[in-house]
Amino acid sequence: MLTVYGIKSCDTCRKARKYFAENDIEFTFHDVRDDGLDIQMLERWSVRVDWLQLLNKKSLTWRKIPEVDRNDMSKEKAFSLMIENPTLVKRPVLESSQFMAVGFSEKRFSDFLKKSA
């Protein structure tokens, strides 16, 4: 089962959800703001993708973090900030037993589906 982690109001999350629905791909949606985000999720994801990929450095929340703190970012510090501010997680995070991705690309996902078919 595919789980899409994101935020309801995120455009990229909406595109991913629409793509999966239109292609009859079963998924569950987990809103990291409403449903929660915890250290276990972040640690599980970081085993499969580099933790830096999970950090949304284009977000307004990121720009509000003092530059001195942004320059000295560690995995532990980033995870702590992401738990406090779920908008710091790059979205969507797509997780299944066969697939893990950060961000959504219709082409990349359709290529994966072709390979796994």
Side-chain angles (χ1 to χ4, degrees), residues 29-100:
F29 183 74
H30 180 101
D31 189 306
V32 295
R33 190 183 286 156
D34 295 341
D35 302 325
L37 176 68
D38 59 41
I39 192 68
Q40 291 82 7
M41 286 176 182
L42 293 169
E43 290 291 350
R44 184 178 72 237
W45 298 342
S46 71
V47 168
R48 297 176 78 186
V49 298
D50 186 334
W51 69 269
L52 286 167
Q53 282 186 273
L54 296 167
L55 187 58
N56 184 359
K57 292 184 177 182
K58 293 182 180 180
S59 74
L60 182 59
T61 306
W62 174 256
R63 288 178 281 204
K64 289 181 179 178
I65 296 170
E67 190 172 342
V68 67
D69 292 334
R70 287 184 288 172
N71 292 337
D72 189 27
M73 192 58 58
S74 67
K75 176 181 170 182
E76 292 75 22
K77 194 172 175 181
F79 284 5
S80 178
L81 285 168
M82 287 182 213
I83 289 168
E84 289 175 35
N85 306 286
T87 55
L88 282 173
V89 175
K90 190 169 184 179
R91 305 173 300 272
V93 175
L94 310 169
E95 181 184 37
S96 78
S97 58
Q98 307 92 359
F99 187 84
M100 178 81 190

